[in-house]
Amino acid sequence: MSTSQIASSAFTLGTVAVLPFYTLMIAAPNASITKRTVESTAPYVALGLLYAYLLYLSWTPDTIRAMFASKYWLPELPGIVRMFASEMTVASAWIHLLAVDLFAARQVYHDGIKNNIETRHSVSLCLLFCPIGIAAHALTKVLAGSTGRSH
C-alpha cells in the first residue's frame, strides 16, 4: 500500500470511527446506551494508536527540522506549511483533531447531562469546529442559568 493510500484510508477510517459517538450524543443524549458508550476509552485508544502509526510514517529528520526551525526550537509558520505539504502529515493531524474534538465533545456532553443543559448544538459544532462548540456550550450555560435552570 502506498503512503498516499495509507493516509487516505486512515483519514476515512478515523472520520467514520467517531461518527457513532457523535450520533449517539446528538440523537439520544439521555439514552443509557449513549451514556455507556460515551464512557468508553476505546475510541481514544484506537485513534491514539492510529495517530502514533501515522506519526511514525510521517516524521522524518526533515519534518523535525521544519517543525523546530527557529533558533528557539519553536515551530514557525513557514516550517509548518512545508510540513503539511505531505498527505501523511495532514492525515496524522486530522486524526489528532478527531481525537481531541471527540474528547472535548464528550466533556461538553457530560457537563450538559450533569447540569441538565441542552448540548446537541454544541456537540455538533465540536465535530468540525471544536472551539466554537465549546464556546456555544459556555454561552448556553450562561443563558440557561439566566432563565432559572440549574447550571
Side-chain angles (χ1 to χ4, degrees):
M1 202 178 223
S2 73
T3 58
S4 181
Q5 290 170 319
I6 292 169
S8 180
S9 295
F11 181 92
T12 302
L13 177 66
T15 303
V16 170
V18 300
L19 293 179
F21 297 92
Y22 281 98
T23 300
L24 286 170
M25 288 187 284
I26 294 164
N30 293 307
S32 61
I33 188 171
T34 303
K35 292 175 182 176
R36 282 192 318 273
T37 301
V38 169
E39 288 302 316
S40 174
T41 59
Y44 308 104
V45 171
L47 290 170
L49 292 171
L50 182 56
Y51 178 64
Y53 177 65
L54 294 175
L55 279 180
Y56 168 76
L57 295 176
S58 68
W59 281 61
T60 66
D62 288 338
T63 307
I64 294 168
R65 276 191 293 277
M67 183 74 176
F68 302 107
S70 81
K71 66 180 179 179
Y72 302 108
W73 286 80
L74 295 172
E76 291 182 339
L77 187 57
I80 299 298
V81 169
R82 281 191 306 279
M83 194 173 74
F84 277 91
S86 158
E87 286 182 328
M88 193 64 73
T89 303
V90 172
S92 70
W94 181 249
I95 299 304
H96 179 275
L97 288 171
L98 288 174
V100 172
D101 290 359
L102 181 60
F103 186 80
R106 182 175 85 162
Q107 296 305 110
V108 165
Y109 166 81
H110 280 311
D111 188 65
I113 293 294
K114 175 183 165 193
N115 295 298
N116 194 30
I117 295 170
E118 181 61 51
T119 61
R120 293 173 204 197
H121 61 291
S122 301
V123 168
S124 297
L125 287 168
C126 282
L127 177 58
L128 292 176
F129 312 105
C130 190
I132 295 170
I134 294 168
H137 180 63
L139 179 61
T140 302
K141 281 182 75 168
V142 168
L143 294 174
S146 68
T147 60
R149 292 176 59 185
S150 66
H151 55 82

